[in-house]
Amino acid sequence: MNKHFEDYKPQTFNQIVFEEHDIQQQLLGYASGSKRKNILLWGKPGGGKSLIADIIASNSRSENTVFSSDRATVINGDSWNKKSIDMILGAYNTGSSYVVIDEVDELKDNQKELTAFIDRYGRVGKLILTTNVAPASLLQRLVDRCDTIEIKLPTSQSNFPQVRKMFNENGCKHYTDEAIKTLIATTNGSWRQIETMFEDEIYYNAR
């Protein structure tokens, strides 16, 4: 029975390939609770920002703690509405470790509302914001209220073992090591694009 990409998705910090070791240690500090600040994760699509936010929001205590999705409150920037602030406050009041706001650039003018909320309630550090755009494209006052961390795309070499395992375990053994490396290179290391290629290959292989 073929697996899906989600079955291979990293669930702990141990399984995520970081291009810079100090970034991994910094993020572990947030996940363990030793650091307590609002966080802005930014970088090109497919680098794992949302996944990292989910792991931190699950209040992991070590590199091996598995992410539990029911412990995070997640709001997508393009679905922001009048009830979003109430949702965040509700999460705060019920003891949610962090609240994740994906694609915060999609808030547009509502970034001002979020900044005002942080000034009133959120300076203790309970927000994780993600975006595919550079911080300079966001409201500067919002950026100033967060620790800003760039999440870089993994290199083809670092992704290779996991991608080879995905293909080999799903009947795609006709892919040579060189073919897999070439496939990864065409995605520039983006896990989002690798996911699309993997699911397409599994679909055609099953026909």
Side-chain angles (χ1 to χ4, degrees):
M1 182 178 179
N2 289 331
K3 296 183 179 180
H4 294 284
F5 182 80
E6 290 293 322
D7 297 317
Y8 295 94
K9 195 173 181 180
Q11 298 185 58
T12 72
F13 276 113
N14 262 4
Q15 298 168 340
I16 299 176
V17 177
F18 290 92
E19 292 306 301
E20 299 176 10
H21 180 70
D22 59 333
I23 295 296
Q24 181 178 16
Q25 295 305 306
Q26 185 177 2
L27 293 171
L28 277 170
Y30 297 119
S32 67
S34 62
K35 292 185 177 181
R36 198 63 175 167
K37 292 185 178 180
N38 298 311
I39 311 164
L40 172 63
L41 305 177
W42 72 279
K44 294 180 179 179
K49 297 181 295 295
S50 296
L51 173 63
I52 292 169
D54 288 343
I55 293 176
I56 295 174
S58 73
N59 199 21
S60 303
R61 292 300 175 186
S62 72
E63 296 179 42
N64 297 308
T65 301
V66 176
F67 163 59
S68 173
S69 60
D70 61 356
R71 296 177 65 183
T73 298
V74 181
I75 299 173
N76 197 281
D78 61 8
S79 63
W80 185 271
N81 56 48
K82 294 180 180 179
K83 296 181 179 179
S84 297
I85 290 294
D86 291 337
M87 286 181 62
I88 298 174
L89 277 174
Y92 279 24
N93 293 334
T94 56
S96 177
S97 177
Y98 276 102
V99 175
V100 179
I101 302 179
D102 265 329
E103 300 179 15
V104 69
D105 50 290
E106 293 293 337
L107 292 181
K108 298 182 171 46
D109 288 344
N110 287 320
Q111 292 179 49
K112 297 177 182 178
E113 181 182 11
L114 180 59
T115 303
F117 170 82
I118 292 174
D119 287 342
R120 185 171 183 180
Y121 298 103
R123 287 192 176 276
V124 293
K126 284 197 173 186
L127 292 175
I128 306 176
L129 316 179
T130 75
T131 181
N132 295 329
V133 305
S137 300
L138 302 175
L139 182 68
Q140 187 59 48
R141 290 191 294 117
L142 177 59
V143 175
D144 290 343
R145 285 151 179 77
C146 303
D147 277 1
T148 304
I149 303 173
E150 181 181 7
I151 304 299
K152 297 181 180 179
L153 293 175
T155 63
S156 298
Q157 183 178 6
S158 60
N159 272 341
F160 172 70
Q162 191 168 355
V163 176
R164 179 175 60 178
K165 180 181 179 181
M166 287 194 301
F167 277 82
N168 285 348
E169 289 186 356
N170 288 276
C172 304
K173 296 182 180 179
H174 58 282
Y175 268 82
T176 64
D177 287 358
E178 287 305 314
I180 293 175
K181 289 178 180 178
T182 300
L183 181 149
I184 298 172
T186 64
T187 69
N188 293 318
S190 167
W191 273 111
R192 185 173 297 175
Q193 293 183 48
I194 291 172
E195 175 182 6
T196 299
M197 290 186 172
F198 174 70
E199 298 290 1
D200 286 348
E201 178 62 28
I202 294 304
Y203 171 75
Y204 286 113
N205 191 60
R207 294 177 68 181

